[in-house]
Amino acid sequence: MSICLTDMRTSAEKGRSEYEEAGEVVWDINTKDKIVALTFDDGPHPKYTAKILDTLAKYEAKATFFIIGQNAEKYPELVSRTYKEGHELANHTYSHPYKVSIPDLQEELRQTNQMIYSITGFSPVLFRPVGGNYTEKMINTAVKNGYKVVMWSWHQDTQDWKEPGTSKIVQKVLGGTKPGDVILFHDGGGNRTQTIKALEEIIPTLKKQGYTFVTVSELIEKKQQQEKIQ
């Protein structure tokens, strides 16, 4: 079972506002529109990703999947299905290293991009660092390679990888959902049964509250549209 370190540690020299103003990193967006982005890390997984896709289809919800290249290589049919069903594919490195040199990061990004492209014909434009840990050099490397770095809303880390219980995952999300949130889940790296059960409560509840589920790129596009109007 993989462990995801999501305590936001970083040795980057810039603050969040500087990265956001430069358009290099996104955590969430400020909007009045009731839209949120569901994101899933560490897949695809033959059991859990398939069930999550079934759930998303049931409620007509779109999501963004941050894919590990090695897993994409093992389960190309799931990558293809995810893409064909209208979800966004994003880069989460090839081997999921918690520590990585800049040359190795470049190769990890390249391998994963190549793998996803070979399966779908689509080249990812989003990258999420493993465990949410990054340095300024990592951000610069990703940006130079054509990626926007995607984190998540600080109040929307479900920590589902810890298997805290379905109710805690549900409470974490529903207790603080705001328009423009990026919500962090996992579809790989361990037993994701609780995540799937939580989604069965989270998605319909938010839909009743008037929320629409969009991809991260759609969320970013909304931000750009708002900035043009201002």
Side-chain angles (χ1 to χ4, degrees), residues 5-52:
L5 305 174
T6 52
D7 56 3
M8 309 304 289
R9 284 199 303 271
T10 172
S11 58
E13 296 172 9
K14 296 179 184 177
R16 170 172 170 170
S17 61
E18 290 179 85
Y19 283 118
E20 287 181 319
E21 288 170 9
E24 296 173 340
V25 187
V26 60
W27 281 262
D28 46 38
I29 72 165
N30 183 21
T31 182
K32 293 181 180 178
D33 293 341
K34 299 186 86 170
I35 54 176
V36 294
L38 305 176
T39 67
F40 297 89
D41 286 9
D42 298 353
H45 184 281
K47 178 179 179 181
Y48 304 117
T49 302
K51 288 187 176 181
I52 287 170

Side-chain angles (χ1 to χ4, degrees), residues 17-188:
S17 61
E18 290 179 85
Y19 283 118
E20 287 181 319
E21 288 170 9
E24 296 173 340
V25 187
V26 60
W27 281 262
D28 46 38
I29 72 165
N30 183 21
T31 182
K32 293 181 180 178
D33 293 341
K34 299 186 86 170
I35 54 176
V36 294
L38 305 176
T39 67
F40 297 89
D41 286 9
D42 298 353
H45 184 281
K47 178 179 179 181
Y48 304 117
T49 302
K51 288 187 176 181
I52 287 170
L53 289 172
D54 289 344
T55 303
L56 293 171
K58 177 180 177 181
Y59 296 107
E60 299 181 325
K62 292 294 178 278
T64 302
F65 289 79
F66 288 86
I67 289 173
I68 294 175
Q70 286 181 339
N71 291 342
E73 189 171 8
K74 292 177 185 175
Y75 310 109
E77 69 285 351
L78 278 172
V79 177
S80 179
R81 178 188 168 186
T82 302
Y83 182 67
K84 287 178 179 177
E85 293 185 5
H87 305 291
E88 183 165 23
L89 308 179
N91 197 317
H92 196 45
T93 72
Y94 186 79
S95 64
H96 204 257
Y98 286 104
K99 292 184 179 180
V100 63
S101 67
I102 295 304
D104 286 347
L105 175 61
Q106 287 184 302
E107 181 60 15
E108 292 265 338
L109 290 171
R110 187 198 66 78
Q111 283 184 285
T112 301
N113 189 313
Q114 188 177 57
M115 182 56 59
I116 292 173
Y117 182 81
S118 71
I119 297 167
T120 65
F122 171 78
S123 293
V125 295
L126 306 177
F127 163 63
R128 176 173 281 163
V130 174
N133 297 305
Y134 61 85
T135 64
E136 188 166 350
K137 286 183 178 180
M138 288 174 67
I139 299 295
N140 291 340
T141 298
V143 171
K144 286 178 181 177
N145 281 273
Y147 293 94
K148 185 180 289 288
V149 179
V150 179
M151 301 300 286
W152 54 85
S153 303
W154 285 341
H155 60 287
Q156 288 288 18
D157 180 358
T158 63
Q159 296 194 351
D160 59 342
W161 57 275
K162 292 183 178 180
E163 297 181 63
T166 300
S167 62
K168 286 192 175 181
I169 298 172
V170 172
Q171 290 167 12
K172 181 69 174 179
V173 176
L174 297 183
T177 301
K178 296 185 297 185
D181 277 356
V182 175
I183 307 170
L184 174 62
F185 297 100
H186 294 78
D187 62 324

Side-chain angles (χ1 to χ4, degrees), residues 199-212:
L199 289 169
E200 283 284 359
E201 295 185 49
I202 291 167
I203 296 177
T205 300
L206 289 179
K207 286 193 76 170
K208 287 179 182 177
Q209 293 175 8
Y211 279 95
T212 299

